[in-house]
Amino acid sequence: MTDHDEGVSTLAKQGSITFVGNVINGALGFAIVMLMTRFVSPSVYGLFVLATSVILFMQVFANLGLPLAIDYFVPQYLDEGEQGKAKGVIVQVTATVLVTSSLVALFLAFSASYVSDFFQEPSLQVALLLLSMTIPMLAIYNVLLTSYYSIKKLQYRVVMRDLVRPIVRFTITAGMLLAGFGLLGLITGYVVGLFVAITVGSALFTYKAWSLLSVKLEFVAPGPMLRYSLPLAMTSVVYVLMGHVDYFVLGFFLDSDDVGIYRVGYMLGSGLMIIFNSLAPVFKPLIAETRDDTELVRERFRVAARWIAGITLPIAIVLALGGSAYLSVMYTPQYTEASTVVALLCGAFLFNVTFGGPDGTLLQGMGYSRLVFVNTLVLFGANFAVSMALVPIFGIDGAAIGSATALVLVGLLTLAELYHVDRIHPFTRDFGKIVLSGVPATIAGAPVVYFIDSATITAAVLPVAVLSVYVGSLIVTDAFTENDARMVAEFSPTAQKWLPARLFNR
């Protein structure tokens, strides 16, 4: 085989680790929501969604975007052999976010009654008071996550985020709901799960990164970190608002049960993010390391884009066609009202994550934090405007149209920016084969949905029909490349035998 970019192997190896973690986390996340929807009413679940949305929005102000500086600056300092400065970045960010997040938590605690009055939900005040303590916890949690990203030790991030937190949360929530605690049970599971995850994550990072943490501390100039982080902080504010504006708009115009139903549909549709979320944590540091080598960045982007699109596309087809069946089987029949939401979001998320991701991971890695901020403003503005106009008319479907419109718009904007700044784009013959293979797969899946009445049978048969035709189409069109072979070898060496031998003999 010819010389190749070792970054592709790193992307595959670390991506496979995060993929396994995301699958586990996703399964446990769906299990938690299934538990909630069976033990509490849509209105109680919707109230919990509103409360956590407010918390997640406020915590963005609390950390000033500084955790995002860790996986940008630390890889660069480590690559230059300046471990003291790498440690300095982590220490300075941690100290700063502890102070700012504590102040924001106090502010929210004192203003909880006003937020409750705005949404006309009296119980929301109690939920916000109890959850306000999680704002500094979430700040430290994010510091730990980006610290793991920066040193490419994602297996320990998997332990903290994808195993410990959801398992503890599920266990505590289940116990509390069985004991009849309702909303208090949902809140307790959320808080305890986060606390235990931080404890375990801190211990693991201290042990595994001791060689970094034990070096002499060198403080770094705050200016570059702030110039990089503040645009991303504003980006995060707008992006989190975008991610939760649907719930805020629905909570304002409709009832809390509509919020709960929409949340279930949104969660199912955003399940498409699993592949992007598996590659993004290691993709950004890989881009940051070689941001001045445009050709290498272009090649890494094309490999990542093909893999994200190639694995996400069949999932999108299955969920878009069978959304009603999966909502009925996984939750309860009353949640099938969100089937249109699932279909709209599947198409939008597929388009968006393929071209740089919803948070502009590629642009972040290349240092274009201001472009990411502008894009996120567009994302929020489009979502808010369309949702405000359509929710009173179409209900939860109006919110889905708002999100879908914004995601597609920003995907197009990201494509234009990448081509303008560095002539980077993902469109190749091999990429086209991936996209076109989705057409026969969709045609194969449609009859399953329309001719089978049982939701359970549809949910079981649909993935088999779509995936078999999709993979067959990839084989017929000879869509696999040398980079694909190396990626597959890193994910699973035994899977190599399913790819043409010529790919390993170049």
Side-chain angles (χ1 to χ4, degrees):
M1 186 181 293
T2 58
D3 292 340
H4 59 266
D5 173 21
E6 290 297 332
V8 173
S9 297
T10 302
L11 185 66
K13 186 178 298 182
Q14 295 296 323
S16 64
I17 293 171
T18 56
F19 174 73
V20 172
N22 284 333
V23 169
I24 296 171
N25 186 38
L28 290 169
F30 279 114
I32 291 170
V33 175
M34 290 168 65
L35 180 74
M36 293 176 178
T37 55
R38 281 166 169 75
F39 280 88
V40 299
S41 65
S43 60
V44 172
Y45 177 60
L47 188 65
F48 176 72
V49 170
L50 272 179
T52 52
S53 295
V54 172
I55 293 297
L56 293 173
F57 173 61
M58 294 300 294
Q59 69 92 21
V60 176
F61 290 100
N63 62 37
L64 302 176
L66 284 171
L68 294 171
I70 292 177
D71 62 348
Y72 180 73
F73 287 100
V74 169
Q76 297 178 52
Y77 284 131
L78 291 178
D79 189 55
E80 295 166 1
E82 297 182 294
Q83 289 191 319
K85 290 184 177 180
K87 176 182 177 180
V89 171
I90 296 174
V91 171
Q92 287 171 252
V93 168
T94 303
T96 303
V97 300
L98 268 177
V99 174
T100 55
S101 61
S102 297
L103 292 174
V104 171
L106 287 173
F107 171 78
L108 178 61
F110 284 113
S111 60
S113 60
Y114 299 103
V115 178
S116 176
D117 291 341
F118 176 79
F119 288 108
Q120 299 179 0
E121 294 283 357
S123 298
L124 185 60
Q125 179 179 358
V126 177
L128 291 176
L129 284 172
L130 294 173
L131 286 170
S132 61
M133 71 179 76
T134 64
I135 292 179
M137 294 167 65
L138 284 167
I140 298 302
Y141 181 77
N142 288 326
V143 166
L144 284 168
L145 285 179
T146 51
S147 296
Y148 282 128
Y149 300 161
S150 66
I151 60 174
K152 302 186 187 75
K153 297 294 184 182
L154 300 185
Q155 60 268 41
Y156 308 117
R157 171 259 206 185
V158 168
V159 172
M160 179 183 74
R161 195 201 76 156
D162 302 323
L163 294 176
V164 174
R165 185 181 180 187
I167 289 173
V168 172
R169 182 184 176 188
F170 181 86
T171 303
I172 298 299
T173 302
M176 295 289 285
L177 290 179
L178 287 171
F181 282 98
L183 180 61
L184 182 60
L186 305 186
I187 294 172
T188 303
Y190 185 89
V191 173
V192 175
L194 183 59
F195 175 77
V196 175
I198 292 171
T199 303
V200 173
S202 299
L204 278 175
F205 186 74
T206 301
Y207 177 69
K208 296 298 181 180
W210 183 248
S211 60
L212 171 62
L213 298 179
S214 60
V215 301
K216 183 179 179 181
L217 175 65
E218 293 183 52
F219 288 108
V220 300
M225 282 199 299
L226 289 173
R227 283 192 295 272
Y228 178 80
S229 299
L230 287 179
L232 293 180
M234 294 301 99
T235 298
S236 298
V237 170
V238 181
Y239 181 65
V240 171
L241 248 184
M242 182 269 165
H244 297 275
V245 68
D246 297 347
Y247 309 135
F248 297 148
V249 173
L250 289 170
F252 182 77
F253 284 111
L254 306 176
D255 299 323
S256 58
D257 57 341
D258 293 301
V259 178
I261 292 172
Y262 179 80
R263 168 57 182 162
V264 168
Y266 190 96
M267 181 179 179
L268 189 59
S270 62
L272 294 180
M273 297 283 290
I274 186 170
I275 302 302
F276 172 79
N277 288 338
S278 298
L279 297 179
V282 68
F283 183 58
K284 178 182 171 182
L286 282 175
I287 295 300
E289 290 172 356
T290 57
R291 64 193 185 283
D292 296 325
D293 189 339
T294 303
E295 188 59 38
L296 188 56
V297 168
R298 182 184 294 114
E299 179 61 23
R300 289 179 175 181
F301 171 55
R302 286 177 173 175
V303 171
R306 286 186 70 256
W307 272 73
I308 291 170
I311 302 178
T312 303
L313 179 57
I315 303 174
I317 295 171
V318 169
L319 292 180
L321 291 175
S324 180
Y326 290 107
L327 288 167
S328 178
V329 171
M330 295 175 65
Y331 307 102
T332 58
Q334 61 185 324
Y335 287 95
T336 57
E337 184 182 341
S339 57
T340 303
V341 172
V342 175
L344 287 168
L345 291 176
C346 280
F349 273 117
L350 172 65
F351 185 87
N352 191 276
V353 298
T354 302
F355 305 122
D359 57 351
T361 300
L362 177 62
L363 290 171
Q364 285 186 40
M366 296 169 69
Y368 298 120
S369 57
R370 294 181 182 179
L371 279 180
V372 177
F373 175 53
V374 171
N375 291 354
T376 312
L377 280 177
V378 173
L379 189 70
F380 169 70
N383 190 8
F384 181 73
V386 176
S387 295
M388 286 292 290
L390 297 185
V391 164
I393 302 172
F394 299 108
I396 63 174
D397 292 342
I401 295 171
S403 289
T405 301
L407 288 166
V408 172
L409 181 61
V410 171
L412 292 171
L413 190 59
T414 301
L415 274 176
E417 290 163 347
L418 289 172
Y419 187 76
H420 175 73
V421 298
D422 280 314
R423 293 297 185 268
I424 293 175
H425 65 83
F427 302 115
T428 62
R429 181 186 297 272
D430 293 323
F431 183 84
K433 292 177 181 178
I434 294 289
V435 176
L436 291 177
S437 294
V439 176
T442 304
I443 295 173
V448 175
V449 175
Y450 291 112
F451 293 108
I452 297 179
D453 293 329
S454 169
T456 303
I457 296 176
T458 298
V461 173
L462 184 59
V464 177
V466 170
L467 285 173
S468 58
V469 174
Y470 179 72
V471 173
S473 180
L474 291 177
I475 295 173
V476 169
T477 57
D478 192 24
F480 299 104
T481 68
E482 180 184 1
N483 280 330
D484 295 335
R486 296 207 324 274
M487 292 278 279
V488 168
E490 294 291 350
F491 274 108
S492 174
T494 58
Q496 290 181 222
K497 61 183 180 181
W498 298 105
L499 292 179
R502 63 176 177 79
L503 297 177
F504 297 92
N505 298 321
R506 291 180 178 179

